[in-house]
Amino acid sequence: MSLDIQSLDIQCEELSDARWAELLPLLQQCQVVRLDDCGLTEARCKDISSALRVNPALAELNLRSNELGDAGVHCVLQGLQSPSCKIQKLSLQNCCLTGAGCGVLSSTLRSLPTLQELHLSDNLLGDVGLQLLCEGLLDPQCRLEKLQLEYCNLSAASCEPLASVLRAKPDFKELTVSNNDINEAGVRVLCQGLKDSPCQLEALKLESCGVTSDNCRDLCSIVASKASLRELALGSNKLGDVGIAELCPGLLHPSSRLRTLWIWECGITAKGCGDLCRVLRAKESLKELSLAGNELGDEGARLLCETLLEPCCQLESLWVKSCSFTAACCSHFSSVLAQNKFLLELQISNNRLEDAGVRELCQGLGQPGSVLRVLWLADCDVSDSSCSSLAATLLANHSLRELDLSNNCLGDAGVLQLVESVRQPGCLLEQLVLYDIYWSEEMEDRLQALEEDKPSLRVIS
């Protein structure tokens, strides 16, 4: 829990009547109120509503993961009807809101011109609820900029109302509709709405939405025409190499300034990786790339690493978890770790790197020029035999701050070597993650003593 005069931030706490009475005065004065997963009831919502009516300072209200239902949400919204209300961010994620409750929410949006962010994910709004919501969003008094609708049971039928909102709102910046079955037809309608819109969109998230390779031509046009776009999330869609080839011309367009591209589990192979490497070479603006869960293989790893060694590539975070890599590609990654001056995070978990591959990585990490700060090596078939290399690297490397070795075949002997290194003053590691590693009670005691002796280090197990 975080508590000060400006902010009330409570998570996962069952609030007794006495505790609730203590908090009510704060609801009347704090700028930020977050009551996440606190077992709030409809009765509590009436108290919240009364408190909000007399709180002109409120800028953010987050009631995520409480079973408020339509009636509870209605109560809360009544509290925001005060003429002095200046709320900017409202989160009702996972609050059991239904389509029937969207009528009240829609009318409320008309009276909240200061509201910029609305989070409604994990509520079963359905197409009927979304239609009602959009009626409020279309009101000239509504100036919403960011809308989250993940897991809202939407279909392609919801996309035309959303497209109408996009056309009508020049200030709109962020749309999340991930994990809804809008499919190819719905995505096409949304893209047309964005093409017609003057909005300076900054983030578009369509993960697990049934996006197809045919949609990538429409998305290519959006990326090329929206110079404001910084984040595009398309993970868990069947794009394939064909879709990536269609998308890349937009990414390569001179006006494109995309910073983050998430295309995990999209059916991409080394061939599609080659197209993406052209983008990495051409676009210094691209900083974060997730290719996790794609069958890139060692050939894809080689293409990526060759690109990362070129000075024009300034990628800072690369996620290649579960990409069918083996130890054979680790010499390439080792060169990147030794020479690349931009890559700060490498997520390479769940690849069969084995001890030989990890030792190759350690050679690169041990070089004076290494700048990597975060390395994920969970579930990589690592055993105690590579821990001596890892331990030596932790002393030689002065950039690494987080290391994840979870779910590897490490025992007391290997963990002890790591412990002896990280306890040294010269080791700058701040977080060591060891989930699903089994050791003796004696080793458990050593790890506890390590954290006591070195407060700057956090061991997660």
Side-chain angles (χ1 to χ4, degrees):
M1 182 188 76
S2 173
L3 188 61
D4 59 50
I5 193 63
Q6 301 295 325
S7 174
L8 174 64
D9 192 344
I10 301 177
Q11 298 181 24
C12 304
E13 180 181 338
E14 288 293 329
L15 304 175
S16 65
D17 290 344
R19 177 69 167 140
W20 187 244
E22 175 188 328
L23 295 177
L24 278 177
L26 297 172
L27 290 174
Q28 300 176 13
Q29 58 183 307
C30 287
Q31 291 183 356
V32 176
V33 175
R34 301 188 186 110
L35 299 171
D36 187 347
D37 194 11
C38 289
L40 300 181
T41 62
E42 184 179 343
R44 293 278 197 252
C45 289
K46 292 177 180 178
D47 292 337
I48 293 172
S49 182
S50 298
L52 296 182
R53 284 193 184 96
V54 295
N55 183 355
L58 185 71
E60 177 183 342
L61 177 62
N62 185 339
L63 300 177
R64 173 178 174 170
S65 297
N66 290 288
E67 295 184 10
L68 308 185
D70 293 336
V73 169
H74 188 182
C75 282
V76 171
L77 294 176
Q78 286 180 323
L80 299 175
Q81 297 300 306
S82 168
S84 61
C85 180
K86 299 293 188 293
I87 189 170
Q88 298 173 21
K89 182 177 180 179
L90 175 62
S91 178
L92 296 170
Q93 181 174 346
N94 192 26
C95 284
C96 300
L97 180 67
T98 71
C102 286
V104 174
L105 179 57
S106 180
S107 62
T108 302
L109 291 174
R110 295 181 170 97
S111 60
L112 294 176
T114 59
L115 189 66
Q116 297 174 358
E117 295 187 40
L118 180 59
H119 297 199
L120 295 174
S121 296
D122 300 291
N123 291 295
L124 297 180
L125 308 184
D127 296 327
V128 173
L130 194 280
Q131 175 68 54
L132 290 170
L133 178 68
C134 287
E135 290 174 7
L137 293 172
L138 284 168
D139 191 279
Q141 291 299 308
C142 177
R143 297 185 177 90
L144 200 73
E145 297 179 358
K146 299 181 180 181
L147 179 62
Q148 293 190 4
L149 295 167
E150 194 168 359
Y151 289 109
C152 283
N153 197 32
L154 308 181
S155 75
S158 288
C159 293
E160 188 53 57
L162 280 172
S164 297
V165 171
L166 294 172
R167 292 185 183 99
K169 296 296 173 180
D171 296 329
F172 207 84
K173 295 179 179 177
E174 182 176 315
L175 178 63
T176 300
V177 289
S178 298
N179 295 289
N180 288 288
D181 292 329
I182 62 175
N183 298 318
E184 183 177 312
V187 173
R188 185 173 296 116
V189 169
L190 278 182
C191 287
Q192 188 59 54
L194 284 168
K195 289 177 187 177
D196 299 338
S197 172
C199 76
Q200 300 299 301
L201 194 72
E202 296 176 359
L204 178 61
K205 301 177 184 180
L206 297 168
E207 295 182 316
S208 192
C209 278
V211 184
T212 69
S213 58
D214 287 342
N215 288 134
C216 287
R217 190 172 301 172
D218 299 312
L219 290 165
C220 173
S221 176
I222 299 302
V223 174
S225 62
K226 296 291 183 185
S228 56
L229 192 65
R230 295 292 177 268
E231 180 176 356
L232 180 60
L234 299 172
S236 190
N237 288 298
K238 295 179 180 180
L239 309 184
D241 294 335
V242 172
I244 294 301
E246 292 278 7
L247 182 64
C248 281
L251 298 171
L252 287 165
H253 194 276
S255 67
S256 174
R257 295 290 182 272
L258 200 72
R259 177 183 174 83
T260 301
L261 179 60
W262 291 86
I263 43 177
W264 50 274
E265 292 183 16
C266 284
I268 303 168
T269 71
K271 181 179 180 181
C273 199
D275 289 324
L276 288 167
C277 285
R278 291 192 294 118
V279 177
L280 288 171
R281 290 189 189 96
K283 290 294 182 178
E284 294 180 359
S285 59
L286 190 59
K287 303 299 183 185
E288 300 178 13
L289 175 63
S290 174
L291 288 165
N294 289 294
E295 294 286 329
L296 306 183
D298 291 336
E299 174 61 14
R302 182 187 66 79
L303 292 171
L304 281 172
C305 289
E306 288 178 353
T307 303
L308 287 165
L309 287 172
E310 297 188 20
C312 51
C313 176
Q314 298 187 12
L315 198 70
E316 295 176 0
S317 175
L318 176 62
W319 284 49
V320 281
K321 177 181 179 180
S322 306
C323 285
S324 300
F325 296 161
T326 72
C329 74
C330 288
S331 60
H332 300 299
F333 277 108
S334 182
S335 297
V336 170
L337 296 177
Q339 300 174 46
N340 183 289
K341 300 305 179 188
F342 299 99
L343 192 67
L344 303 177
E345 179 181 30
L346 178 61
Q347 164 55 291
I348 198 170
S349 297
N350 199 31
N351 288 290
R352 296 195 64 183
L353 308 185
E354 303 178 316
D355 294 317
V358 170
R359 283 193 286 267
E360 288 268 18
L361 295 182
C362 286
Q363 289 183 16
L365 283 170
Q367 298 303 308
S370 179
V371 300
L372 196 77
R373 294 182 63 86
V374 181
L375 177 61
W376 309 59
L377 289 171
D379 198 14
C380 284
D381 291 344
V382 181
S383 75
D384 287 347
S385 68
S386 58
C387 284
S388 58
S389 297
L390 284 166
T393 300
L394 291 175
L395 289 176
N397 180 286
H398 298 296
S399 65
L400 198 65
R401 296 294 182 269
E402 297 182 28
L403 175 63
D404 186 351
L405 291 169
S406 300
N407 199 29
N408 283 297
C409 301
L410 305 184
D412 281 14
V415 174
L416 180 60
Q417 292 182 80
L418 298 174
V419 167
E420 291 303 315
S421 282
V422 298
R423 73 186 307 168
Q424 301 301 317
C427 179
L428 301 179
L429 197 72
E430 296 173 357
Q431 182 165 291
L432 178 60
V433 185
L434 298 170
Y435 284 123
D436 295 322
I437 304 293
Y438 301 99
W439 47 65
S440 66
E441 290 186 11
E442 180 183 355
M443 183 55 62
E444 183 71 30
D445 293 339
R446 283 178 177 267
L447 289 169
Q448 290 180 0
L450 172 64
E451 288 192 279
E452 292 171 2
D453 294 342
K454 197 168 185 178
S456 62
L457 176 69
R458 184 183 180 203
V459 179
I460 302 176
S461 61

